[in-house]
Amino acid sequence: MEPHGREEPKGPVLHIVVVGFHHKKGCQVEFSYPPLMPDEGHDSNVLPGEWKYLPFLALPDGAHNYQEDTVYFHLPPLSGDMKCVYGVSCYRQIEAKALKVRQADVTRETVQKSVCVLSRVPLYGLLQAKLQLITHAYFEEKDFSQISILKELYDHMNGSLRGSTLEGSQVYLGLSPRDLILHFRHKILILFKLILLEKKVMFYVAPVNKLVGALMTVLSLFPGMIEHGLVDSSHYRPKSSVSEDLSLVESVSGAEEFVSVSVTDIANTTLELDRVDTAQPAAEPPSPGNSSAAGDNHLLKPPSRPSPDSSESDWETLDPSVLEESPRKEGAEGSETQPELLDTFDSKPGTPITVQPQSASSQGGVVQGLVSGLEEDQYGLPLPIFTKGYLCLPYMALQQHHLLSDVAVRGFVAGATNILFRQQRHLSDAIVDVDEAGIQIQDPELRKILSLTTADLRFADYLVKHVTENRDDVFLDGTGWEGGDEWIRAQFTLYLHSLLSSALQQDNERLLADYGAPFVTAWKITHNFRVWYSNKHPAMTAITPGHPFQGQYSVADVKLRLSHSVQNSERGKKIGNAMMTTSRSVVQTGKVVGQSVGGALTSAKSAMTSWFSTLAQPAAVTNAPCTEPATEVKP
């Protein structure tokens, strides 16, 4: 990988591109500055082979349903380069009759175009903020032949962004973990663990700006991931030819109209596996105690296992309102990022945890990892998750469908708006419905692995409580305060630091049990853990091992576990449905037989409701054994 300094003179922005929808040719590049191909002009439609999907990424499926939209996407590096290309596209549509200069090829009632920035740096929100203003001005001209404003945008961005460091709030502009936790609540930790296990995770929602915002916000919870961990995230091989096969689109009942897909340009989306001569055989995972076994890069690829067909699972939200004040936590000490970890279940709920992420300079800067090839801090972060065929595609076009079954792709975190990706559930381990905040997992074994422990539930509930309590604070701008965006990222940094430190302990069964023994076992054979474990990270000695929310179990924990189990298990769902059915029957019967009989039935309903409510009351389970073995932590 070339050092970052050698690329600075070229500028962080590579190209400004305009993509339009042609009524006969479909999506195509209409303008690029500088030209995408050195021997072509600014108005050439010719693309590099590696970027053949650019028009379909910049102008997404179903774009005609929205007046404007924003897309984040990743392109593979061109030949001779080693780094991912980050794309930000602003889409808009305008009525054709409003144009001052109407070109001959404009035959539809609306004109749909996207202005796109291709960059070397992952400054998604910052690029979007600048691009939206220029896109608005470009459309206000009502004459798309006026391209001088786009050339000025190229010069302005390279001038203003030159020398920008990938530190501070500018990297996370527009990515709000607070909003994500308010929506996903306790499930945010399940998403975090899914990505640590390098599973095939598909995010699904429309429009695209909502999709890419949720996906990239989840990734921002991993320390250093957006800044330095995505440089290898788009190393895939596009199909060598374009086909007219529409079988997959036709197989979808009630398939939506795809504005950005034409008959002549749709990619071959058949499900057969491509033969890739660079695919490497998987090797047996090394023992966690043998760091030398992970020295070779080509031995670090874990075997790929498709999820068996099984019933899907929706992880339901745990309502923190049923929880009472938790007891004082015992025995956890701070780390370098948190000199003195305060009691997580303190009797003073107003006492903040002041852990803050340190800048790269205070941690001694970042250096290139010997095995991962990524720029790492002294803790070995970011973890090399998106390397060696594990892709990050914030938005995936229909033309890229073949990547889901490509033998060279061992996993992915991808986003899609096309219903086809959601219906092809067997090609993903988990489908995240952003609108419903649901996670559908087919494999029952994977659901067991991702089951949150009591310590995990304490951690997730702690985040939810603080974010919920501070949601109405008019002075909270999302950074720096308890419950704010930076505070949330700091908590996940502490969680990951503690997990890594616990994994280094020789006699670590009791420590790792708080993270879930099945999860830790599965995580230790992943590519990212074996690469991280193969190197020495001196700063880890300052991290106290053990879960940040470890401690003896109490009645409050039993109540937390019971409430979570009832709301997430199939049995709990049946009980809830039975209560709702009974309630409706009581109301209907009361109307038919009169008030007297209705009153008796209402009393019966109240008695039944009280009986079910006792399932979640501490008094009913005070003498019940804990669902997990108690783990004492010495102070």
Side-chain angles (χ1 to χ4, degrees), residues 1 7 9 39 57 214 218 235 307 332 353 410 418 438 600 613:
M1 181 180 300
E7 295 183 353
D39 299 332
L57 294 170
V218 172
H235 284 49
S307 298
I353 288 184
R410 62 185 180 89
N418 194 304
S613 298

Side-chain angles (χ1 to χ4, degrees), residues 312-604:
E312 65 187 44
S313 172
D314 281 331
W315 294 84
E316 298 297 331
T317 302
L318 174 62
D319 187 0
S321 63
V322 301
L323 305 178
E324 61 186 12
E325 192 67 33
S326 300
R328 185 180 182 89
K329 178 185 148 228
E330 298 181 4
E333 296 183 2
S335 64
E336 183 171 333
T337 60
Q338 184 180 0
E340 184 178 355
L341 178 62
L342 301 181
D343 293 337
T344 58
F345 292 90
D346 200 323
S347 58
K348 299 179 181 180
T351 304
I353 288 184
T354 57
V355 56
Q356 292 291 339
Q358 296 183 0
S359 64
S361 59
S362 65
Q363 295 175 4
V366 294
V367 296
Q368 188 171 11
L370 298 177
V371 180
S372 69
L374 304 178
E375 294 182 350
E376 303 173 349
D377 62 15
Q378 294 184 356
Y379 302 98
L381 302 178
L383 291 175
I385 296 175
F386 296 101
T387 58
K388 296 295 181 181
Y390 192 77
L391 304 181
C392 175
L393 303 175
Y395 173 68
M396 175 180 280
L398 178 63
Q399 290 73 14
Q400 297 174 297
H401 189 279
H402 68 279
L403 295 176
L404 301 184
S405 55
D406 195 324
V407 295
V409 176
R410 62 185 180 89
F412 53 82
V413 176
T417 59
N418 194 304
I419 193 174
L420 174 65
F421 291 96
R422 183 173 184 175
Q423 292 186 344
Q424 300 287 335
R425 297 178 180 178
H426 62 285
L427 297 178
S428 303
D429 294 319
I431 297 179
V432 182
D433 189 326
V434 178
D435 259 342
E436 301 295 332
I439 307 175
Q440 301 174 1
I441 302 176
Q442 291 184 303
D443 188 358
E445 185 64 25
L446 180 57
R447 293 202 300 269
K448 179 180 177 181
I449 291 174
L450 293 172
S451 178
L452 298 182
T453 65
T454 298
D456 281 343
L457 286 174
R458 289 173 178 173
F459 173 71
D461 189 63
Y462 180 77
L463 296 177
V464 171
K465 280 186 174 180
H466 281 73
V467 171
T468 304
E469 291 171 359
N470 294 321
R471 65 184 303 178
D472 297 327
D473 189 348
V474 295
F475 299 104
L476 182 63
D477 64 356
T479 58
W481 283 274
E482 184 175 1
D485 291 340
E486 293 299 324
W487 181 86
I488 293 170
R489 294 190 182 98
Q491 306 311 308
F492 277 94
T493 298
L494 174 63
Y495 182 92
L496 188 57
H497 281 174
S498 301
L499 174 60
L500 291 169
S501 179
S502 301
L504 291 176
Q505 306 303 312
Q506 294 297 327
D507 186 17
N508 57 4
E509 288 80 6
R510 296 180 62 187
L511 293 176
L512 294 176
D514 285 325
Y515 295 96
F519 166 76
V520 173
T521 301
W523 177 54
K524 283 190 173 182
I525 64 174
T526 61
H527 173 82
N528 69 82
F529 177 82
R530 291 186 290 177
V531 172
W532 181 87
Y533 192 79
S534 65
N535 279 344
K536 301 294 183 181
H537 307 292
M540 291 303 302
T541 58
I543 304 297
T544 302
H547 200 292
F549 285 75
Q550 64 184 344
Q552 292 181 330
Y553 297 141
S554 66
V555 173
D557 294 320
V558 176
K559 178 180 179 179
L560 177 62
R561 168 63 59 189
L562 178 61
S563 177
H564 183 74
S565 300
V566 168
Q567 296 192 32
N568 286 276
S569 66
E570 292 297 330
R571 184 178 180 182
K573 293 178 183 178
K574 291 179 180 178
I575 292 177
N577 293 335
M579 293 181 64
M580 293 180 62
T581 303
T582 303
S583 178
R584 286 195 297 265
S585 300
V586 167
V587 173
Q588 294 173 359
T589 305
K591 292 179 180 180
V592 174
V593 302
Q595 186 174 5
S596 58
V597 177
L601 291 175
T602 301
S603 301

Side-chain angles (χ1 to χ4, degrees), residues 74-76 83-86 124 229-236 386-387 389-394 413:
H74 293 165
L75 291 175
K83 295 183 178 180
C84 169
V85 175
Y86 309 95
Y124 304 98
L230 301 177
V231 293
D232 296 332
S233 64
S234 63
H235 284 49
Y236 61 83
F386 296 101
T387 58
Y390 192 77
L391 304 181
C392 175
L393 303 175
V413 176

